[in-house]
Amino acid sequence: MKYLYRIYQLLVVVPFLVLDTILLAMAVGIGTTIGNGHFWGYYPGHWWARAIVRVCLLPVTVEGREHLEKDQSYVFVANHQGAFDIFLIYGFLDRNFKWMMKHQLGKIPFLGYACRKSHQIFVDKRGPKKIKATIDAAREILKEKGMSVVVFPEGSRTFTGHMGEFRRGPFWLADELQLPVVPLTINGSFDIMPRTRDWHFANWHPLRLTIHQPIYPIGQGPENLQATLRQAYDSVMSALDKQYQGYVENPDQ
């Protein structure tokens, strides 16, 4: 079955991925120019990601959508297992949001163009002015009713499937704007395509997204920030598959 799945990827998945990504860039480029930026900045990417997961024949389970309130803005924080994290969250979280992503991703052909046109938030740490511009962009997005952001607070994908440390950035943003933080646990993405096998064949494996209960502010300042960070980390860890439980240092952090 493994080799049949690889042949299927070569003949079906790869051509579909290329075509789907080109169509995504065109749809976002045209849509954000002539229409509602928030609609065209989210829904084409949502359909793009959902279609890719379906074409890859990967079963998806989502738990905890009942924890989210309509029109509430959230700061979503998720563990970063692998490349398929993007498809899982974009396709199946079912919330309008902007990504906070590494600025280097803006250089990817077609995809980078779509991200820039749809006003995704590029995290650029090359100096105080660029850091301030990143925070200001996120602040403006979160001031709009029902708009959220998704962040991978580890900063990079795991090498082992285990979680690294969470950085303070998204929790500082949530504290400043007094917004709830929603932890997300991703399972399966590391088993499909671990970081050490980028651009290799994907493995067939189910995906699971767990949406935890929102963590509302208990105040404002360092105490609230640290408490939210610890609770979010523990929540994400609690739903990880058993073999990936426990902290393992990520040398890329």
Side-chain angles (χ1 to χ4, degrees), residues 45-55 65 87 90-92 94:
H46 169 72
W47 297 324
W48 165 81
R50 202 175 184 94
I52 289 170
V53 171
R54 296 308 189 198
V55 168
R65 280 207 189 99
F87 304 133
Y90 222 163
F92 297 91
D94 289 351

Side-chain angles (χ1 to χ4, degrees), residues 214-226:
I215 305 169
Y216 287 88
I218 56 172
Q220 191 166 22
E223 185 176 345
N224 174 63
L225 187 156
Q226 289 297 333

Side-chain angles (χ1 to χ4, degrees), residues 101-116 122:
M101 61 179 68
K102 291 182 178 180
H103 69 91
Q104 295 92 333
L105 297 177
K107 299 177 182 178
I108 298 175
F110 297 108
L111 191 59
Y113 169 79
C115 289
R116 290 191 300 273
F122 291 104

